[in-house]
């Protein structure tokens, strides 16, 4: 009986427990059913139905847009030209703005050593007295041959050969070989013997070669790319350096009052065309193995990249700058090669079809059809299968006829020039140009200081007014702006995140017909009707995605976007286009010839994002901040400097002495050694380091987040550059509370302590609580 009662009690207890649990489950179900499901799309947006990777779709559209802009560039060039055809003299004078622009983008800026002295070999018997200078002329030849060198800059001397006819000198011929041709090999072509017998003294410079080597055991790149990278950051160019070498020869030869001709093949053809376009003292030019359309410049070896070239110049336009002087174009097969992506930039040289060369020559003729007397380039077609003895022979015959020179009778001699230590010669040339670039780097801080002298620091109002010149310059001349208006954003969205504190929506906005902006919007649940909240735009770094800053505890981001949403901030995490390796880097390559950069695209996308965010009823347009890490930190320096709707900017894991990091060939921190071949921005060293970019963000709040062990740069470089920013905010403008840096023991990562307090304070959130002290 007792046992039965106990069993009954236990049974009753179990039934009560089961009933209680069932009631809880039922209540929970009722609550769940009572709560409305979150909307699948954001209000006033269309459903986002795209399948596949939205980042990939975005990059594909960006490439299509740039391809269109490249094809349109040819038609747009004429608006920059004001050719005066009233006389040859008036015509030459009317081209002066183009010469100045061309010299600027080629980096032909530095004063050359004057007077120029050419060091020539002593006779063969005395060669031991001057090692490396050897008389190489065969005794039976009607010419002599010497090694020569001449000083171009205080730190750099060019080297090459000179062939001197034994009869009277009638003309000076600067014969520029391809970059992979040694002067000793090119000098023995029979075509030069004809010029020598006609009285031409021939100067053959040595170019920096395309030999590929690993740099500091890291990225493999050619000698030419190695010189190009830091020079480009400082507004110089390997093309400009080698043009300066040729112009030094022109300086030396001009007083002799003889015709000066440039004759180039391959890379030498490029240099001959640019040199003749820039220098009126050049009497005539021959371009071989190079001339043609340049719309595929982005695919050529990166050292041919010229910022803004296609805005005003194609080969036809450059040819018209040689007019009315003689120009001979030899449609000869040029060098063909391909560089794989090994840290250095991929690139290839291919020969244009004959029809394309003919069309570019005809285009040059049409551009100056009104010039009198009539002018047109002379086109010579050199057969691909012509034997070596006939290489450039037709072009040379045409040139001598133009100069009214006749070769003296004589047989073609078979001769050779013993090669010097070509490796040592290349090393001397590379080191000399590198020293010149590093000297420019050392002077660049003062150049930037002089550039920024128009900033008026006498009051905050005058400072803001004086910023506009620099903001416009930065946007148009450094970053680059497309003049195509944005299309309506036509927002599309879909729900992808549901948490107990916020919802997350993927959002796609239209920017241009081919281009979208894509990101993820995080909206806290507790926004009250009519309430407006601050927004933080959280920007990922290299090869990142919006999802990385939200979930997954990525070690670089620590879910900082989600953490901010949990604090009640509205958050937008955009997809920036620096993803998929060479796919995005080729966007930069396509941008550069158009006088644009990757940030031209990014800025336009962010402009559209801001336009849309400001339409959301719960967004306070006066409280939108930017917070980016690494490449997102690069964005934090550039985009808010242009877009004033960003009321605050935080640069994490990137702020440093940016010009030094890009241009130093002494520091292991430098980008010169890495695979980020797209990172270099033309002429930035003379205009905007990070302190100058921060001066465009000022007086809006600005903060740096810095881990002591971040490999971006050493602490002292970061501190030095930031000290300039703090000096502006605190000492000059009296707003030091708007500028901060947080140092923490850590690496390349979001710390999210002082920066979060900075956001709370300056975006005034939460509004009913005092901000935490830093």
């Amino acid at each position: 009986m007792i046992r039965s009662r106990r069993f009954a009690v236990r049974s009753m207890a179990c039934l009560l427990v089961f009933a209680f649990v069932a009631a809880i489950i039922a209540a929970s179900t009722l609550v769940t059913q009572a709560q409305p499901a979150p909307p699948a799309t954001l209000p006033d947006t269309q459903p986002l139905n795209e399948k596949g990777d939205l980042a990939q779709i975005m990059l594909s559209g960006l490439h299509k847009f740039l391809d269109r802009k490249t094809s349109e560039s040819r038609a747009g060039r004429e608006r920059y030209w004001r050719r005066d055809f009233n006389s040859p003299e008036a015509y030459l004078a009317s081209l002066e703005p183009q010469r100045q622009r061309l010299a600027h983008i080629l980096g032909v800026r530095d004063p050359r050593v004057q007077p120029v002295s050419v060091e020539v070999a002593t006779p063969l018997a005395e060669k031991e007295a001057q090692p490396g200078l050897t008389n190489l002329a065969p005794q039976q030849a009607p010419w002599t041959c010497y090694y020569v060198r001449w000083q171009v800059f205080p730190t750099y001397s060019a080297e090459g050969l000179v062939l001197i006819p034994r009869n009277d000198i009638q003309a000076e011929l600067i014969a520029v070989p391809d970059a992979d041709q040694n002067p000793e090999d090119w000098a023995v072509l029979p075509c030069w013997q004809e010029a020598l017998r006609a009285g031409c003294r021939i100067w053959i410079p040595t170019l920096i070669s395309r030999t590929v080597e690993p740099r500091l055991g890291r990225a493999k790149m050619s000698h030419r790319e190695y010189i190009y990278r830091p020079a480009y950051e400082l507004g110089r160019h390997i093309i400009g350096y080698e043009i300066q070498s040729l112009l030094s020869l022109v300086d030396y030869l001009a007083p002799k009052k003889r015709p000066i001709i440039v004759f180039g093949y391959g890379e030498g053809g490029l240099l001959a065309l640019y040199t003749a376009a820039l220098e009126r003292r050049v009497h005539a030019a021959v371009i071989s193995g190079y001339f043609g359309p340049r719309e595929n410049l982005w695919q050529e070896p990166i050292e041919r990249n010229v910022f803004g070239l296609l805005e005003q110049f194609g080969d036809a336009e450059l040819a018209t700058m040689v007019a009315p002087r003689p120009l001979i174009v030899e449609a000869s097969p040029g060098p063909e090669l391909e560089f794989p992506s090994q840290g250095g930039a991929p690139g290839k040289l291919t020969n244009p079809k004959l029809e394309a060369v003919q069309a570019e020559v005809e285009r040059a003729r049409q551009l100056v059809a009104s010039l009198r007397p009539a002018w047109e380039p002379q086109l010579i077609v050199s057969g691909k299968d012509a034997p070596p003895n006939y290489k450039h022979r037709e072009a040379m015959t045409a040139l001598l006829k133009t100069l009214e020179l006749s070769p003296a009778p004589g047989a073609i001699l078979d001769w050779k020039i013993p090669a010097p230590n070509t490796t040592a010669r290349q090393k001397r040339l590379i080191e000399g140009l590198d020293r010149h670039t590093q000297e420019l780097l050392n002077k660049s801080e003062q150049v930037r200081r002089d550039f920024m002298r128009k900033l008026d620091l006498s009051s905050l109002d005058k400072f803001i007014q004086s910023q506009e010149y620099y903001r416009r310059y930065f946007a148009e001349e450094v970053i680059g702006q497309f003049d195509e208006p944005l299309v309506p954003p036509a927002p599309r969205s879909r729900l992808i995140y549901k948490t107990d504190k916020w919802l997350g929506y993927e959002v796609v906005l239209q920017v241009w017909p081919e281009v979208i902006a894509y990101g993820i919007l995080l909206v806290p649940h507790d926004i009250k009707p009519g309430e407006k909240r601050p927004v933080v735009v959280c920007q990922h770094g290299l090869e990142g995605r919006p999802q990385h800053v939200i979930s997954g505890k990525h070690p670089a981001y620590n879910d900082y976007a989600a953490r901010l949403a949990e604090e009640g901030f509205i958050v937008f995490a955009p997809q920036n286009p620096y993803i998929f390796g060479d796919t995005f880097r080729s966007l930069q390559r396509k941008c550069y010839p158009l006088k644009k950069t990757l940030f031209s695209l990014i800025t336009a996308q962010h402009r559209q994002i801001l336009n849309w965010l400001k339409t959301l009823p719960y967004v306070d347009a006066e409280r939108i901040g930017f917070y980016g890490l690494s490449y997102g930190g690069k964005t934090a320096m550039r985009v808010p400097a242009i877009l004033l709707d960003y009321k605050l900017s935080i640069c994490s894991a990137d702020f440093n002495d940016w010009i030094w990091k890009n241009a130093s060939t002494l520091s292991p921190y430098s980008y010169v050694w890495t695979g980020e071949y797209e990172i270099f921005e033309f002429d930035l060293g003379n205009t905007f380091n990070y302190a100058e970019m921060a001066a465009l963000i000022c007086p809006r709040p600005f903060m740096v987040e810095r881990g002591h062990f971040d490999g971006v740069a050493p602490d002292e470089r970061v501190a030095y550059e930031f000290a300039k920013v703090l000096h502006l905010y605190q000492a000059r403008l009296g707003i030091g509370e708007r500028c901060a840096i947080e140092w923490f023991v850590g690496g390349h990562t979001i710390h999210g302590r002082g920066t979060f307090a900075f956001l709370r304070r300056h975006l005034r959130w939460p509004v009913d609580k005092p901000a935490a002290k830093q």
Side-chain angles (χ1 to χ4, degrees), residues 180 191 211 227 251 312 363 385 430 479 501 649 661 711 745:
D180 288 335
C191 63
T211 301
I227 296 298
D251 294 340
Q312 296 190 31
R363 197 166 70 84
D385 300 322
I430 292 167
I479 297 298
K501 290 192 175 181
S649 185
K661 183 171 176 62
V745 179

Side-chain angles (χ1 to χ4, degrees), residues 442-458:
N442 292 336
K443 296 175 180 177
S444 65
E445 185 173 12
Q446 183 59 50
V447 174
R448 292 191 301 275
R449 190 176 292 121
D450 292 340
F451 172 72
M452 298 296 289
R453 288 196 186 280
K454 292 181 182 179
L455 278 180
D456 188 339
L457 301 174
S458 61

Side-chain angles (χ1 to χ4, degrees), residues 739-750:
C739 184
I741 187 169
E742 182 190 31
W743 306 87
F744 65 93
V745 179
H748 196 70
T749 184
I750 294 285

Side-chain angles (χ1 to χ4, degrees), residues 191 194-195 263 328 378 380 392-405 407:
C191 63
E194 294 183 25
F263 188 131
I328 298 170
Q378 184 176 352
I380 293 174
H392 310 307
R393 292 282 293 276
E394 291 179 75
M396 181 59 69
T397 299
L399 174 63
L400 295 178
K401 182 178 179 181
T402 297
L403 298 174
E404 299 181 347
L405 296 175

